[in-house]
Amino acid sequence: MIIVLKPKATEKDIQRLCTRIKELGLSPHVSRGKERTVIPVIGDERKLENVALMSYPFVEKVMAVLAPFKLVSRESRPRTTVVRARGLVVGEKKIALIAGPCSVEGEAMIVRIAKAVKKAGATALRGGAFKPRTSPYSFQGLGEEGLRHLAAARQATGLAVVTEVLDTRDVELVARYADVLQVGARNMQNFELLKEVGMSRRPVLFKRGISANLKEYLQAAEYILSRGNDQVMLCERGVRSVEDYARNTFDLNAVPILKELTHLPIVTDPSQATGKYSWVEPMSLASVACGADALIIEVHDRPEAAKSDGEQSILPARFARLVRAVRRVARAVGRTA
Amino acid sequence: MIIVLKPKATEKDIQRLCTRIKELGLSPHVSRGKERTVIPVIGDERKLENVALMSYPFVEKVMAVLAPFKLVSRESRPRTTVVRARGLVVGEKKIALIAGPCSVEGEAMIVRIAKAVKKAGATALRGGAFKPRTSPYSFQGLGEEGLRHLAAARQATGLAVVTEVLDTRDVELVARYADVLQVGARNMQNFELLKEVGMSRRPVLFKRGISANLKEYLQAAEYILSRGNDQVMLCERGVRSVEDYARNTFDLNAVPILKELTHLPIVTDPSQATGKYSWVEPMSLASVACGADALIIEVHDRPEAAKSDGEQSILPARFARLVRAVRRVARAVGRTA
Amino acid sequence: MIIVLKPKATEKDIQRLCTRIKELGLSPHVSRGKERTVIPVIGDERKLENVALMSYPFVEKVMAVLAPFKLVSRESRPRTTVVRARGLVVGEKKIALIAGPCSVEGEAMIVRIAKAVKKAGATALRGGAFKPRTSPYSFQGLGEEGLRHLAAARQATGLAVVTEVLDTRDVELVARYADVLQVGARNMQNFELLKEVGMSRRPVLFKRGISANLKEYLQAAEYILSRGNDQVMLCERGVRSVEDYARNTFDLNAVPILKELTHLPIVTDPSQATGKYSWVEPMSLASVACGADALIIEVHDRPEAAKSDGEQSILPARFARLVRAVRRVARAVGRTA
Amino acid sequence: MIIVLKPKATEKDIQRLCTRIKELGLSPHVSRGKERTVIPVIGDERKLENVALMSYPFVEKVMAVLAPFKLVSRESRPRTTVVRARGLVVGEKKIALIAGPCSVEGEAMIVRIAKAVKKAGATALRGGAFKPRTSPYSFQGLGEEGLRHLAAARQATGLAVVTEVLDTRDVELVARYADVLQVGARNMQNFELLKEVGMSRRPVLFKRGISANLKEYLQAAEYILSRGNDQVMLCERGVRSVEDYARNTFDLNAVPILKELTHLPIVTDPSQATGKYSWVEPMSLASVACGADALIIEVHDRPEAAKSDGEQSILPARFARLVRAVRRVARAVGRTA
């Protein structure tokens, strides 16, 4: 931590602050410049986190030296973590493909789509049984019945099942059916839910919040790891910005940045990040080109009748074409798919 | 709903779409312009909400005519709802003051601060027992013990108690101790929690999410009302923008806009919205000047030792001065405080 | 400047960096912590501004200690600057009112509105002759003819004339007619224009850019002062955020923050900041309550026929009512209007 | 245009509005629903643009049917425009590479770097002679002397020269030396400058503003085309968002979206969009994968001594490696480089 004092700070103020810092077992290194006095603090700066240094009227600003996350950091674990759930492997040379409808709408439907995406090259099936919808009047998912349909689709195809959990009370239930627990963007700072999935033994697909910066995102992921679960995939799915042709602004810079900051593998979600079927393929290719470890893609065989997100779902045939294009780009950057 | 077709839409496309619309019990009014065909749809447009009209390749855009919320709208209930919880009354001529520390840190502390804010003019006490913290290593609140301390402070002062609930599993517990359930910004779209507090009989202080627009905010409030609880106060607490001197960007435009859109009363939170003690008073006065029905203010008697948010907490004496200034501005705009 | 090194930085890297710093006439104070080496640099940190410290692969981050502006800072001049142009005085106890139409549409029109706003209490007249319009097909203003009409309105009322200049080539021309040169939001970082108005002897009304943070805004104002013109009023007119009911997000936090950071007086523009006539009055009152030194308000006597911004213009009678309300709030906060 | 009336609108209000619409030569098609009356207006909706329909108190909202730009739209010209300047060709199958330093710092320097980037595969040289710097105290460029150095570098290599123009007064001067006029992000809505480059016969590299949405960006480009110059390249260079590890948020969704909306070719600027040398290559590859027609890359042979943007400049050898990787990805998506 580095503390910058206001010009008006007196010698007495400086002493008062240094005493406080030493009480916490830290060493202040007072550095007096012409315009400002600056105090780098040596020792574990996390001890200062709960101290409201800015409430001293003679403190101008406080700057952190270390990142505010630890277990998720590349510094703490240099090798990329590989997440494994049944046939799904994320974090190795081969780029993984997770595909399926936004919502599970029935057993026949999910089995049919599961077969189609498997044939095209997917190793995991996505599909929501519990849906967080902006409006209370929108379709909220089939609940446990939807989970049973997902299990049937897994039975039929061998694909790993990825599905969202919304409520701390449902974590056990969802974990009984799913291979991967998804935590959605709206719940990125639902810390009670993060603690709960952190205590589960299921891998987690953890989506970035719609206006979260990467620091907050990694701090939230830290909640999961700090409870003992390090099988976490991060997922960039678009953030909110000034632009509105697309549903979100796809922050692909996050891919190389996260690779530098954390050992967790990175998934991108071009369906959510664009919101429109015709933009999914180019943005899938861009994701692969800049280093994503997996893609999660919405596929539906009757988009215009989908109960949610039809406008961003692609047909199975288009998904198959997308997979072929992904393979070409993967090879161009030294990977496979 | 108004559907705008692409120039390339054929007569057959138009017929196909109209058939679909009629199947839903709605009437399409096709209006053929020189450059575009436009189809206003007459009838309950909410029936079209789950139809992915944008997945038709000949549809260019879809525009909603009605607001996507109903129970919260001023149109559905012209008079402002008055929320009452013990001595706290929000939505009448008198501006209410809710004050107290960010977190409950002990019984003596909360009782002492409760007495101070009551003396200055507050009618409700705020204080967190369950705290949603960005980092898992920050103080997470005293939990049920904190709730008991709040009850002791109420006992000592008669103030209504406002405290946050984070987890669906805790709603009952918190409702047992609190007069008002607070749902925080990070949980604005934790819909399972909203449903749960919607089924509680406690009034709710419902904070706007950090990057939520007002439409999403009101749709989220609709979740609470749709479960039967209309004792809801909205609370503007700052949104995220490009500016970073302040912790948040205080969106005070939201006050007159919400008054136009909804019958729910409006609280503002100048402590969160600024993040710095010296800006709390001017922004409290601005809130009152543009029509807020209540203020929620962080007060602590030893900010530099506070376990959270010390830098934005004001001293009791400063709060008392703030209340006097609020009263002068309230009178200037035809209200009291 | 404080330089934080990566954990992998070697002793040789540290020496290389220190040598570079000393060459610039500055002193590095190396402070070796357990996890990071931190180097506060003593001396004029502006010397380091053009050095790309981040291009050294062993540097993790670089943090500025001082604000990147000087002449505009409150630190360099503790008393608020008072801007004077004819009867317009901004920065004293009395809150100034600048009012008039968005665009000058004709002589009779501008004279008529000038008389109306003067009668209601304005001391300056606004009105655009050169208009920066988002679309090339929108009305672009009357140009020099509009300036002549403004001069006629001044002649008729004695009001100071505030009007926008868009082009370096027009600064002299506009300065011949205007009492105050306005630089609009879209030109906040048109540095050539800022230099030019900085060399003019006319006071400047300098609007904040639509997504500028306050640091960038003050750096841009520094361009004007650095050329010798310190008669500059800052103007908060709303920034872009996630919210879209209003045309902009009115960042009123900027008022107390700017008062802390700079000696320049602060104007707010509730017309632009809301975009809708019915929200102008509450947001004018909020501006006054939190400390604005002046308001600039769009007034038109036939809004539905206005050539620009009709939807946010208020009628003269409504402006007169607004002035009365402003006076009441001004008194409540110890000022006049 | 579609006009939605408030529930309280009377029959007389509707008649008044329809009369106004007919006076403008347009036809109103009144469509009365249960909850709202909706009026699609048939005819050239641009006639309604300057009418402040929202100033009628009985109008609830106004929705545009057509995009607010015409000459730049794909609808008006289905084939992609190819921009040509000396050896630089943008908009064909081959992806073009524009490279060079942020600023021209001297003749030897620019000639040396020009040779290096040419050897690696670039067909155009970038380099600023007039620099728009956030602070007035930063290096402002060499001015005309810099232009002469650029001409010398062109002489030595045959590369097309791309350089920025900041001031309407300099357009002629810069056009005398440059092959392509660059208009920077800060000047995206400096409409006087756009008109001036629109009257020049030089191709234009037109950068997106830092918080401009695509609609505003295309409306601004419309200014250039409406003056007769259609040799315009658009350039995505990152927008501002909530994220701050990177200098900007690279909005790559803009690539496929712009390809749908406009016939102008698309350049991306991974150097500006990331702000850090190590992220330039992955984001260059992502740009190519999603369809960019050209890249503009900052290259410097002594980044730590660069007078601007050193931290995002890459060394010539790294640029050569980047070009090889770009070629592999280009082939994977059916293009060359």
Side-chain angles (χ1 to χ4, degrees):
Chain A
M1 206 73 90
I2 293 162
I3 304 164
V4 179
L5 303 186
K6 288 189 184 161
K8 66 170 190 186
T10 64
E11 206 46 46
K12 212 176 132 191
D13 292 332
I14 296 174
Q15 290 323 314
R16 186 176 158 203
L17 191 59
C18 289
T19 305
R20 184 80 202 277
I21 290 165
K22 287 176 194 157
E23 280 168 15
L24 293 161
L26 301 165
S27 318
H29 282 202
V30 180
S31 175
R32 289 174 173 85
K34 215 196 271 180
E35 305 196 58
R36 291 290 185 284
T37 293
V38 167
I39 311 179
V41 177
I42 306 293
D44 180 3
E45 78 177 23
R46 291 177 185 93
K47 286 183 186 168
L48 276 173
E49 247 163 41
N50 284 331
V51 181
L53 295 163
M54 287 298 292
S55 70
Y56 288 105
F58 55 84
V59 170
E60 185 168 288
K61 58 180 167 182
V62 177
M63 302 184 285
V65 169
L66 298 179
F69 41 82
K70 197 159 185 169
L71 300 174
V72 301
S73 74
R74 178 73 75 178
E75 204 171 329
S76 77
R77 194 192 293 178
R79 281 179 65 103
T80 297
T81 291
V82 178
V83 173
R84 294 171 200 279
R86 213 165 282 260
L88 177 69
V89 181
V90 178
E92 298 205 326
K93 189 183 172 190
K94 186 172 179 184
I95 292 158
L97 297 160
I98 305 165
C102 178
S103 302
V104 179
E105 298 168 16
E107 185 177 319
M109 172 265 199
I110 191 70
V111 170
R112 201 171 61 230
I113 296 178
K115 286 179 177 170
V117 300
K118 183 180 183 186
K119 198 177 154 202
T123 54
L125 174 69
R126 61 153 292 155
F130 295 98
K131 297 298 306 172
R133 303 303 300 279
T134 303
S135 164
Y137 308 119
S138 298
F139 175 62
Q140 310 269 320
L142 297 179
E144 188 170 358
E145 189 194 332
L147 296 175
R148 280 195 298 267
H149 299 333
L150 284 164
R154 173 175 51 211
Q155 182 77 18
T157 59
L159 292 174
V161 162
V162 179
T163 197
E164 184 162 358
V165 60
L166 296 179
D167 191 327
T168 50
R169 296 172 300 192
D170 295 334
V171 171
E172 238 184 82
L173 172 73
V174 177
R176 225 179 299 137
Y177 290 95
D179 299 296
V180 175
L181 300 175
Q182 180 177 316
V183 175
R186 291 179 182 83
N187 283 313
M188 191 199 89
Q189 291 192 319
N190 179 344
F191 301 123
E192 302 309 306
L193 184 60
L194 300 186
K195 291 173 188 170
E196 209 62 43
V197 300
M199 289 184 290
S200 154
R201 278 167 316 176
R202 291 280 174 222
V204 180
L205 178 71
F206 181 43
K207 293 196 156 190
R208 180 179 180 183
I210 198 165
S211 78
N213 60 41
L214 295 178
K215 196 162 75 179
E216 293 163 335
Y217 186 27
L218 290 172
Q219 284 180 289
E222 188 87 3
Y223 266 95
I224 305 175
L225 272 77
S226 71
R227 297 290 156 141
N229 188 348
D230 72 347
Q231 286 281 294
V232 175
M233 296 168 262
L234 299 176
C235 180
E236 161 60 30
R237 43 77 74 208
V239 292
R240 184 158 278 184
S241 83
V242 301
E243 178 42 42
D244 58 4
Y245 274 101
R247 183 167 176 178
N248 291 297
T249 295
F250 201 2
D251 180 12
L252 282 179
N253 276 348
V255 177
I257 297 175
L258 286 172
K259 285 190 165 276
E260 208 172 294
L261 296 174
T262 178
H263 55 83
L264 299 173
I266 320 296
V267 185
T268 71
D269 182 340
S271 308
Q272 279 290 331
T274 60
K276 194 166 158 204
Y277 63 90
S278 56
W279 302 328
V280 172
E281 183 173 321
M283 301 320 293
S284 296
L285 302 184
S287 299
V288 169
C290 67
D293 297 304
L295 301 175
I296 180 166
I297 308 273
E298 292 186 34
V299 176
H300 199 291
D301 51 10
R302 254 195 86 202
E304 74 283 3
K307 293 205 167 159
S308 55
D309 284 358
E311 57 285 358
Q312 69 200 36
S313 297
I314 57 175
L315 291 165
R318 197 161 183 153
F319 176 65
R321 193 183 80 185
L322 179 154
V323 174
R324 289 190 298 271
V326 159
R327 283 180 180 147
R328 284 191 297 271
V329 174
R331 270 194 303 273
V333 296
R335 300 186 73 167
T336 61
Chain B
M1 206 72 90
I2 293 163
I3 305 164
V4 178
L5 303 187
K6 288 189 184 160
K8 66 170 189 186
T10 63
E11 206 45 45
K12 214 176 131 190
D13 293 332
I14 299 175
Q15 289 323 314
R16 187 177 157 200
L17 191 58
C18 289
T19 304
R20 185 79 202 277
I21 290 165
K22 288 175 193 160
E23 281 168 17
L24 293 159
L26 303 165
S27 316
H29 280 202
V30 181
S31 176
R32 288 172 174 86
K34 214 198 271 181
E35 306 197 57
R36 290 290 185 284
T37 292
V38 166
I39 311 180
V41 176
I42 306 295
D44 180 3
E45 78 177 22
R46 289 177 185 93
K47 286 182 186 168
L48 275 173
E49 247 163 41
N50 283 331
V51 180
L53 293 164
M54 285 300 290
S55 69
Y56 288 105
F58 54 84
V59 170
E60 184 168 290
K61 58 181 167 181
V62 176
M63 302 184 286
V65 169
L66 299 178
F69 40 81
K70 195 158 186 168
L71 301 174
V72 301
S73 73
R74 178 72 76 180
E75 203 172 329
S76 77
R77 194 194 292 178
R79 283 179 64 103
T80 296
T81 291
V82 178
V83 173
R84 294 171 200 279
R86 215 164 280 260
L88 176 69
V89 181
V90 178
E92 297 203 326
K93 190 184 173 189
K94 186 171 179 184
I95 291 160
L97 296 160
I98 306 164
C102 177
S103 301
V104 179
E105 298 168 15
E107 184 176 321
M109 171 266 198
I110 190 71
V111 170
R112 200 171 63 231
I113 296 178
K115 286 178 176 168
V117 300
K118 183 181 184 184
K119 199 178 154 201
T123 54
L125 174 68
R126 60 154 293 156
F130 295 98
K131 298 296 306 171
R133 305 301 301 278
T134 303
S135 164
Y137 308 117
S138 298
F139 175 62
Q140 309 270 321
L142 297 178
E144 187 168 358
E145 188 193 332
L147 296 175
R148 281 194 296 267
H149 299 334
L150 284 165
R154 172 174 53 211
Q155 183 76 18
T157 59
L159 291 175
V161 162
V162 179
T163 197
E164 183 162 359
V165 60
L166 296 178
D167 191 327
T168 50
R169 294 171 301 190
D170 295 334
V171 172
E172 238 184 82
L173 172 74
V174 177
R176 224 178 301 138
Y177 291 95
D179 298 297
V180 175
L181 300 175
Q182 179 178 314
V183 174
R186 290 178 183 83
N187 283 313
M188 191 200 89
Q189 292 192 318
N190 179 345
F191 301 122
E192 302 307 308
L193 184 61
L194 300 186
K195 291 173 189 172
E196 208 63 41
V197 301
M199 289 182 291
S200 153
R201 277 165 318 178
R202 292 280 175 221
V204 179
L205 179 70
F206 182 44
K207 294 196 155 188
R208 180 181 181 183
I210 197 166
S211 78
N213 59 42
L214 296 177
K215 196 162 76 178
E216 292 164 334
Y217 186 26
L218 291 172
Q219 284 179 288
E222 187 88 3
Y223 266 95
I224 306 175
L225 274 77
S226 70
R227 298 288 157 141
N229 188 349
D230 72 348
Q231 286 281 293
V232 175
M233 297 169 260
L234 298 178
C235 180
E236 163 58 31
R237 42 77 75 208
V239 291
R240 182 158 280 182
S241 83
V242 301
E243 179 40 43
D244 57 4
Y245 273 101
R247 184 169 175 175
N248 291 298
T249 295
F250 202 2
D251 180 13
L252 282 178
N253 276 349
V255 177
I257 296 175
L258 286 172
K259 286 190 165 275
E260 209 172 290
L261 295 175
T262 179
H263 56 84
L264 299 173
I266 320 294
V267 185
T268 71
D269 182 339
S271 309
Q272 279 290 330
T274 60
K276 193 165 159 203
Y277 63 90
S278 55
W279 303 329
V280 172
E281 182 171 322
M283 300 321 293
S284 295
L285 303 184
S287 298
V288 170
C290 66
D293 298 302
L295 300 174
I296 179 164
I297 309 273
E298 292 185 34
V299 176
H300 199 290
D301 51 11
R302 255 197 86 202
E304 74 283 4
K307 294 209 167 157
S308 55
D309 283 358
E311 57 285 358
Q312 68 199 34
S313 297
I314 58 176
L315 291 164
R318 196 160 184 154
F319 176 65
R321 193 183 80 185
L322 179 153
V323 174
R324 290 191 296 273
V326 159
R327 283 179 179 145
R328 286 192 296 272
V329 174
R331 270 194 304 273
V333 296
R335 301 184 74 166
T336 63
Chain C
M1 205 74 89
I2 293 161
I3 304 165
V4 179
L5 303 186
K6 288 189 185 161
K8 66 169 189 186
T10 63
E11 207 45 46
K12 214 176 130 190
D13 292 332
I14 297 175
Q15 290 323 315
R16 187 176 157 201
L17 191 59
C18 289
T19 304
R20 184 79 202 277
I21 290 165
K22 288 174 194 160
E23 281 168 16
L24 293 160
L26 302 165
S27 316
H29 280 202
V30 180
S31 175
R32 289 174 174 84
K34 215 197 270 180
E35 306 197 56
R36 290 290 186 284
T37 293
V38 166
I39 310 179
V41 176
I42 306 295
D44 180 3
E45 78 177 21
R46 289 177 185 93
K47 287 183 185 169
L48 274 173
E49 246 163 41
N50 284 331
V51 180
L53 294 164
M54 286 299 291
S55 69
Y56 288 105
F58 54 83
V59 171
E60 185 168 289
K61 57 181 169 182
V62 176
M63 302 183 286
V65 170
L66 299 178
F69 41 81
K70 197 158 184 168
L71 301 174
V72 301
S73 73
R74 177 73 76 179
E75 203 171 329
S76 76
R77 194 192 293 176
R79 283 178 63 104
T80 297
T81 291
V82 178
V83 173
R84 294 171 200 279
R86 215 163 281 261
L88 176 69
V89 181
V90 178
E92 298 204 325
K93 190 183 172 189
K94 185 172 179 183
I95 292 159
L97 296 160
I98 305 164
C102 177
S103 302
V104 179
E105 299 168 15
E107 184 175 322
M109 172 266 199
I110 191 71
V111 171
R112 198 171 66 229
I113 296 177
K115 287 179 176 169
V117 300
K118 183 181 184 184
K119 198 178 156 202
T123 54
L125 174 68
R126 59 154 292 156
F130 295 97
K131 298 297 305 171
R133 304 302 300 280
T134 303
S135 164
Y137 308 117
S138 298
F139 175 63
Q140 309 271 321
L142 296 179
E144 187 167 359
E145 189 194 330
L147 296 175
R148 281 195 297 266
H149 298 334
L150 284 164
R154 172 174 52 211
Q155 182 75 17
T157 59
L159 292 175
V161 162
V162 180
T163 197
E164 184 162 359
V165 60
L166 296 178
D167 191 328
T168 49
R169 295 171 300 191
D170 294 334
V171 172
E172 239 185 80
L173 172 74
V174 177
R176 225 178 300 136
Y177 290 96
D179 299 297
V180 175
L181 300 175
Q182 179 178 315
V183 174
R186 291 179 182 83
N187 284 313
M188 191 199 90
Q189 292 193 318
N190 179 345
F191 301 122
E192 301 308 308
L193 183 61
L194 300 184
K195 291 174 187 170
E196 209 62 42
V197 302
M199 289 183 291
S200 154
R201 278 167 316 178
R202 293 281 174 220
V204 180
L205 178 70
F206 181 44
K207 294 198 156 189
R208 180 180 181 185
I210 196 164
S211 78
N213 60 40
L214 295 177
K215 196 163 75 178
E216 292 164 334
Y217 185 27
L218 290 172
Q219 284 180 289
E222 187 87 3
Y223 266 94
I224 305 176
L225 273 78
S226 71
R227 298 287 158 141
N229 188 349
D230 73 347
Q231 286 281 293
V232 175
M233 297 169 258
L234 298 177
C235 181
E236 162 59 31
R237 41 78 74 207
V239 292
R240 182 158 281 183
S241 83
V242 302
E243 178 41 43
D244 57 4
Y245 273 101
R247 183 168 176 176
N248 291 298
T249 295
F250 202 2
D251 180 13
L252 282 178
N253 276 349
V255 177
I257 297 175
L258 286 172
K259 285 190 165 275
E260 209 172 291
L261 296 174
T262 179
H263 56 84
L264 299 174
I266 320 294
V267 185
T268 71
D269 182 340
S271 308
Q272 278 290 329
T274 60
K276 194 165 158 202
Y277 64 90
S278 55
W279 303 328
V280 172
E281 182 172 323
M283 301 320 294
S284 296
L285 303 183
S287 299
V288 170
C290 67
D293 298 303
L295 301 175
I296 179 165
I297 309 272
E298 292 185 34
V299 176
H300 198 291
D301 51 10
R302 254 197 87 202
E304 74 283 4
K307 294 209 167 156
S308 55
D309 283 359
E311 57 285 358
Q312 69 200 34
S313 297
I314 58 176
L315 291 164
R318 195 160 184 154
F319 176 65
R321 192 183 82 184
L322 178 154
V323 174
R324 290 191 296 272
V326 160
R327 282 180 180 144
R328 286 191 296 272
V329 174
R331 271 195 303 272
V333 295
R335 300 186 73 167
T336 63
Chain D
M1 206 73 89
I2 294 163
I3 306 163
V4 179
L5 303 186
K6 288 189 184 160
K8 66 170 190 187
T10 63
E11 206 47 44
K12 213 176 132 193
D13 293 332
I14 297 174
Q15 289 324 314
R16 186 176 157 202
L17 190 59
C18 289
T19 304
R20 185 80 203 277
I21 289 164
K22 287 176 195 158
E23 281 169 17
L24 292 161
L26 301 166
S27 318
H29 281 201
V30 180
S31 174
R32 289 174 173 86
K34 216 196 268 182
E35 306 196 57
R36 289 290 184 285
T37 292
V38 167
I39 310 180
V41 176
I42 306 294
D44 180 3
E45 78 177 22
R46 289 176 186 94
K47 287 183 185 166
L48 275 173
E49 247 162 41
N50 284 331
V51 180
L53 294 164
M54 286 300 291
S55 70
Y56 289 104
F58 55 83
V59 170
E60 185 168 288
K61 59 180 166 181
V62 176
M63 302 184 284
V65 169
L66 298 179
F69 41 81
K70 197 159 184 168
L71 300 174
V72 301
S73 73
R74 178 73 75 178
E75 203 171 330
S76 77
R77 193 193 293 177
R79 283 178 65 103
T80 297
T81 291
V82 178
V83 172
R84 293 170 201 280
R86 214 164 282 259
L88 177 68
V89 181
V90 179
E92 297 205 326
K93 190 184 172 190
K94 186 172 179 183
I95 292 159
L97 296 160
I98 306 165
C102 177
S103 301
V104 179
E105 297 168 17
E107 184 175 321
M109 171 265 199
I110 191 71
V111 170
R112 201 171 62 230
I113 296 178
K115 285 179 177 171
V117 301
K118 184 182 183 185
K119 198 178 155 201
T123 54
L125 175 68
R126 62 154 291 154
F130 295 98
K131 298 298 305 172
R133 303 303 300 278
T134 303
S135 164
Y137 307 118
S138 298
F139 175 62
Q140 310 269 320
L142 297 178
E144 187 169 0
E145 189 194 331
L147 296 175
R148 280 195 296 268
H149 298 335
L150 284 165
R154 173 175 50 211
Q155 182 77 19
T157 59
L159 292 175
V161 162
V162 180
T163 197
E164 184 163 358
V165 59
L166 295 179
D167 191 326
T168 50
R169 295 172 300 191
D170 294 335
V171 172
E172 237 184 83
L173 173 73
V174 177
R176 224 179 301 137
Y177 290 95
D179 299 296
V180 175
L181 300 175
Q182 180 177 314
V183 174
R186 291 179 181 83
N187 283 313
M188 192 200 88
Q189 291 193 317
N190 179 345
F191 301 123
E192 301 309 307
L193 184 61
L194 300 186
K195 291 174 188 170
E196 209 62 43
V197 300
M199 288 183 290
S200 153
R201 278 166 317 177
R202 291 279 174 222
V204 179
L205 179 70
F206 181 45
K207 293 197 156 189
R208 180 179 180 183
I210 198 164
S211 78
N213 60 41
L214 295 178
K215 196 162 76 179
E216 292 164 334
Y217 186 25
L218 290 172
Q219 284 180 289
E222 188 87 2
Y223 265 95
I224 305 175
L225 273 78
S226 71
R227 297 289 157 140
N229 189 349
D230 72 348
Q231 286 281 292
V232 175
M233 295 169 262
L234 299 177
C235 181
E236 161 60 30
R237 43 76 75 208
V239 292
R240 183 158 279 184
S241 82
V242 301
E243 179 40 42
D244 58 5
Y245 274 101
R247 183 167 176 178
N248 291 297
T249 295
F250 202 1
D251 180 12
L252 282 180
N253 276 348
V255 177
I257 297 175
L258 286 172
K259 285 189 165 276
E260 208 172 292
L261 295 174
T262 178
H263 55 85
L264 298 172
I266 320 296
V267 185
T268 71
D269 182 340
S271 308
Q272 279 290 330
T274 61
K276 193 165 159 205
Y277 63 90
S278 55
W279 302 329
V280 172
E281 182 172 322
M283 301 320 293
S284 296
L285 302 184
S287 299
V288 170
C290 67
D293 297 304
L295 301 174
I296 180 165
I297 308 272
E298 291 185 34
V299 176
H300 199 292
D301 51 10
R302 255 196 86 201
E304 73 283 4
K307 294 208 166 156
S308 55
D309 284 359
E311 56 285 358
Q312 69 200 34
S313 297
I314 58 175
L315 291 164
R318 197 161 183 151
F319 176 64
R321 193 183 79 185
L322 179 154
V323 174
R324 289 191 297 271
V326 159
R327 283 180 180 146
R328 284 192 297 271
V329 174
R331 271 195 302 272
V333 295
R335 300 186 73 167
T336 62

